[in-house]
Amino acid sequence: MMTLRQVEVIRAVMVTGTIGGAAKLLNVSAPGISRLVKYTERSLGIRFFQRQNGRYFPTPEAENIFEQINGVYKKVDDLSEIISKIGRGGLSELRIGSVPSISQVMVPRAIERVRRRYPDLGIDINILKLEEAIDYLMLGRGECVAMSYRLEHSGLDFMPLASGELYCIVPPGHELAGRKQVSAAEITRYPLIGIDPNDPYGRIMAEIFARNRLAYNITIRARFGTTVCALVKAGLGIAIIDQFTVAHGGYPGIELLKITEPTRFDTYIAVKRGAPLSLHAESFIESLRAEMRAVEPSRGNGKAGGARGRKK
């Protein structure tokens, strides 16, 4: 029986034709190579080489052994290639989901980090409504979903992502434009776009309005943040948006005003309970959390430089 080290040494002598060449190839001493060759021949009772003018030539009886040794090295090379591909993300696919408010700005920034780490990784991103996330995870269609709300479900686990705030968005030239902040009472004086009380973000403002006995007029209903921003930009009203939808200037042409009343909310990553996460999914979650926490209200300069968003 030959050890892998013996196989490696015998092949090195076979390839280079000399003990010195094998030593250089393996970066070891020549005497060590010579001793191991002699020991292997004695222990197996097989003569591997004939020495002629300082060079080593395979013996006829060792030809079959050398063919097998080359076969072993071919498999090792194939294994190394596969390991290299896996290390770059090849042969794998990351399947993740996200609600729209997080998918617009935050997810692409996180994916860019993942791509730098795993340049050959296949990536499948699904934009999901909150109610679609359960089937997506429970049926194994993806590994995780970025959520704007925590659901109660026995088959799902929720991991914290980051906290955020809501902002009032107005078009340039609006009466509120140029201001740093605005109160809920001032917001209700203008036609509103969106604000669905059944929406996690909309519920926050609806409760503030109700608590202060403020009547408000919703002139246009729109589910997704990008649509809401476009309607505001067109001068059709003002709106309430989550900071992650408008993060990093994600939607130019509108102005952001901080809301006086507390509007803080939490976001999560949902995963199927008991299902192991791939390294790629863990990398995505880590990257997304880092991107979102970098723009949390309590961090940085407190501006909505990372804000954006609206519906799930």
Side-chain angles (χ1 to χ4, degrees), residues 180-236:
K180 297 295 184 181
Q181 63 180 25
V182 64
S183 68
E186 290 173 304
I187 290 173
T188 58
R189 297 172 188 168
Y190 303 92
L192 286 172
I193 297 171
I195 308 290
D196 181 355
N198 296 316
D199 173 87
Y201 297 151
R203 190 179 303 129
I204 295 173
M205 285 308 301
E207 289 174 353
I208 291 175
F209 292 150
R211 190 162 53 246
N212 292 281
R213 295 186 174 85
L214 297 170
Y216 56 98
N217 181 27
I218 301 176
T219 58
I220 302 176
R221 295 186 183 276
R223 180 173 176 83
F224 300 119
T226 51
T227 303
V228 170
C229 289
L231 292 168
V232 170
K233 184 177 180 179
L236 298 173

Side-chain angles (χ1 to χ4, degrees), residues 104-177:
Q104 186 68 22
V105 176
M106 295 290 101
V107 168
R109 292 175 69 90
I111 289 296
E112 191 275 333
R113 288 190 181 206
V114 174
R115 175 64 80 201
R116 271 189 275 128
R117 185 172 180 180
Y118 301 106
D120 297 334
L121 177 65
I123 300 174
D124 181 76
I125 303 172
N126 282 266
I127 311 305
L128 306 169
K129 299 177 182 178
L130 282 171
E131 55 270 23
E132 295 173 331
I134 297 176
D135 283 351
Y136 181 77
L137 292 171
M138 296 305 296
L139 296 177
R141 294 171 182 161
E143 293 191 72
C144 61
V145 178
M147 303 277 283
S148 57
Y149 182 68
R150 177 170 182 159
L151 304 171
E152 292 300 326
H153 194 284
S154 60
L156 300 179
D157 286 326
F158 289 82
M159 299 179 287
L161 268 179
S163 298
E165 289 181 336
L166 301 181
Y167 282 81
C168 176
I169 57 174
V170 302
H174 190 273
E175 290 180 16
L176 296 175

Side-chain angles (χ1 to χ4, degrees), residues 36-301:
L36 187 54
V37 170
K38 291 177 181 179
Y39 169 78
T40 303
E41 289 180 326
R42 285 198 310 269
S43 62
L44 296 178
I46 299 173
R47 188 172 56 140
F48 289 100
F49 301 101
Q50 291 178 334
R51 185 172 180 178
Q52 298 177 11
N53 300 321
R55 295 192 62 82
Y56 283 69
F57 297 92
T59 61
E61 58 267 29
E63 289 292 345
N64 289 335
I65 295 176
F66 291 145
E67 288 182 12
Q68 293 300 317
I69 288 176
N70 284 330
V72 169
Y73 266 79
K74 176 62 169 63
K75 291 183 180 298
V76 170
D77 288 341
D78 291 344
L79 176 61
S80 297
E81 183 179 356
I82 290 174
I83 291 174
S84 176
K85 287 182 178 179
I86 292 175
R88 293 172 57 84
L91 310 179
S92 301
E93 182 179 53
L94 170 64
R95 292 176 294 139
I96 58 101
S98 174
V99 296
S101 58
I102 300 176
S103 71
Q104 186 68 22
V105 176
M106 295 290 101
V107 168
R109 292 175 69 90
I111 289 296
E112 191 275 333
R113 288 190 181 206
V114 174
R115 175 64 80 201
R116 271 189 275 128
R117 185 172 180 180
Y118 301 106
D120 297 334
L121 177 65
I123 300 174
D124 181 76
I125 303 172
N126 282 266
I127 311 305
L128 306 169
K129 299 177 182 178
L130 282 171
E131 55 270 23
E132 295 173 331
I134 297 176
D135 283 351
Y136 181 77
L137 292 171
M138 296 305 296
L139 296 177
R141 294 171 182 161
E143 293 191 72
C144 61
V145 178
M147 303 277 283
S148 57
Y149 182 68
R150 177 170 182 159
L151 304 171
E152 292 300 326
H153 194 284
S154 60
L156 300 179
D157 286 326
F158 289 82
M159 299 179 287
L161 268 179
S163 298
E165 289 181 336
L166 301 181
Y167 282 81
C168 176
I169 57 174
V170 302
H174 190 273
E175 290 180 16
L176 296 175
R179 293 182 53 172
K180 297 295 184 181
Q181 63 180 25
V182 64
S183 68
E186 290 173 304
I187 290 173
T188 58
R189 297 172 188 168
Y190 303 92
L192 286 172
I193 297 171
I195 308 290
D196 181 355
N198 296 316
D199 173 87
Y201 297 151
R203 190 179 303 129
I204 295 173
M205 285 308 301
E207 289 174 353
I208 291 175
F209 292 150
R211 190 162 53 246
N212 292 281
R213 295 186 174 85
L214 297 170
Y216 56 98
N217 181 27
I218 301 176
T219 58
I220 302 176
R221 295 186 183 276
R223 180 173 176 83
F224 300 119
T226 51
T227 303
V228 170
C229 289
L231 292 168
V232 170
K233 184 177 180 179
L236 298 173
I238 67 174
I240 309 300
I241 210 79
D242 70 279
Q243 73 174 101
F244 298 119
T245 296
V246 289
H248 301 289
Y251 205 100
I254 56 176
E255 295 190 22
L256 310 182
L257 285 68
K258 185 176 177 64
I259 298 172
T260 305
E261 290 79 4
T263 60
R264 198 175 184 92
F265 60 87
D266 295 316
T267 60
Y268 302 88
I269 277 284
V271 299
K272 185 176 180 180
R273 181 166 297 170
L277 290 174
S278 67
L279 288 175
H280 308 123
E282 290 180 354
S283 177
F284 167 72
I285 293 170
E286 176 187 335
S287 298
L288 182 60
R289 183 178 288 121
E291 287 291 341
M292 294 180 68
R293 289 188 175 180
V295 296
E296 278 185 331
S298 60
R299 301 171 190 268
N301 56 18

